[in-house]
Amino acid sequence: MLTENESKPAKAPRAAPSARVRRNGLYTDIADHLREMIQEGELAPGSRILEKDLCEYFDISKTPLREALKVLAVEGLVTHRQHIGYRVAAIDIDEIAAVFEVLHGLEETAGRCLAKRVTEGALHAIERKHQAMVAHHHNGKRAAYFQLNQEIHQMMIDAAQNPVLSSIYAGLMTKIHRARGVANADSARWQESLDEHEAIMAALQAADRSKLPQLMKEHSEHTAVESMKALRATRIE
């Protein structure tokens, strides 16, 4: 257990970090790994960080770990209180809910624009990225899957050829990155999300793309429901 969460037990950690990190123990490498674990929901929002377990996990002393945690504290990903220690920063659930409401409309709008404006080159690039994402799912590579998932969403928005939409969307997705990671940490939602992506790709490649806006909106809505459910389950009162 790498964190302690009073409302929900911590899930099993991922495979051990790279030998490079274990050998040199640089705090920047540790910070990178912890940042990824937080953003993907592996370390739950609000959970207490257990330094002893993390030191054993990374095979390092407390010094580089604490230096890494200081970096993440500056970034707002962890908090620190004297005599209590470090916690993964909580997520503002009300703000996330508000962001999702806006995203649903943006996804639908993007779907309409995408259906009319996507080029063959953009379509092929999205398909290649999608197939790589599917391979990561089959191989159980959650972190790599989630990274490509994020990239595909932005690629589709960009392919709608509306720079204002692309800019607003990118900013909002940054705000909900951690929330989506928490939801994707659930295996059932991970499969559902992939199935929805498959349906979106089929609609994008069809001669009649009329279903695309609704599918993109529904995917956003389903992601929001599961994200909010996961966030409420990890909230510490």
Side-chain angles (χ1 to χ4, degrees):
M1 182 183 293
L2 305 183
T3 59
E4 181 178 83
N5 188 321
E6 286 85 345
S7 62
K8 185 178 182 181
K11 61 191 283 291
R14 65 175 70 188
S18 69
R20 180 174 63 86
V21 171
R22 291 200 301 271
R23 282 199 305 271
N24 60 34
L26 292 174
Y27 76 90
T28 53
D29 291 328
I30 304 303
D32 288 344
H33 278 270
L34 290 174
R35 185 183 300 108
E36 185 176 301
M37 294 165 78
I38 291 170
Q39 290 175 336
E40 291 167 10
E42 190 169 343
L43 298 180
S47 56
R48 188 162 68 89
I49 294 174
L50 303 179
E51 294 185 35
K52 180 176 180 294
D53 287 1
L54 281 173
C55 286
E56 293 176 357
Y57 178 62
F58 289 114
D59 191 18
I60 57 173
S61 67
K62 285 188 177 181
T63 298
L65 175 63
R66 288 180 175 173
E67 289 300 314
L69 290 172
K70 288 177 183 178
V71 171
L72 299 183
V74 171
E75 295 176 4
L77 291 176
V78 303
T79 61
H80 181 263
R81 292 180 62 185
Q82 193 172 9
H83 307 307
I84 295 178
Y86 288 94
R87 283 187 181 274
V88 178
I91 295 176
D92 187 333
I93 294 180
D94 293 335
E95 180 185 27
I96 296 301
V99 171
F100 269 122
E101 285 184 354
V102 176
L103 279 174
H104 303 335
L106 292 182
E107 291 278 4
E108 187 175 24
T109 299
R112 288 197 298 269
C113 295
L114 187 61
K116 295 183 294 184
R117 301 174 185 166
V118 64
T119 64
E120 285 299 315
L123 183 58
H124 290 323
I126 293 169
E127 172 61 20
R128 288 194 298 271
K129 190 82 72 171
H130 174 76
Q131 291 304 323
M133 185 184 75
V134 171
H136 287 321
H137 181 273
H138 291 335
N139 293 324
K141 296 182 178 179
R142 194 182 298 271
Y145 172 94
F146 189 51
Q147 178 62 41
L148 290 188
N149 180 288
Q150 297 284 92
E151 294 175 10
I152 289 169
H153 274 272
Q154 190 64 51
M155 287 174 71
M156 288 194 293
I157 299 300
D158 293 343
Q161 299 185 53
N162 183 318
V164 175
L165 177 62
S166 291
S167 177
I168 294 173
Y169 186 87
L172 293 179
M173 287 296 282
T174 298
K175 290 180 177 293
I176 65 165
H177 183 89
R178 287 179 62 203
R180 294 181 73 241
V182 171
N184 281 346
D186 178 80
S187 295
R189 176 55 194 161
W190 191 17
Q191 181 61 55
E192 289 173 356
S193 178
L194 178 63
D195 293 342
E196 290 165 10
H197 267 266
E198 294 275 22
I200 289 171
M201 288 304 303
L204 185 57
Q205 294 169 327
D208 176 8
R209 299 188 177 115
S210 59
K211 294 182 180 180
L212 189 59
Q214 186 63 26
L215 287 173
M216 291 179 67
K217 180 183 178 183
E218 289 176 353
H219 176 57
S220 180
E221 290 172 341
H222 296 162
T223 299
V225 168
E226 295 305 317
S227 295
M228 298 307 295
K229 185 190 302 182
L231 288 177
R232 292 189 180 101
T234 60
R235 177 160 54 181
I236 296 175
E237 304 295 344

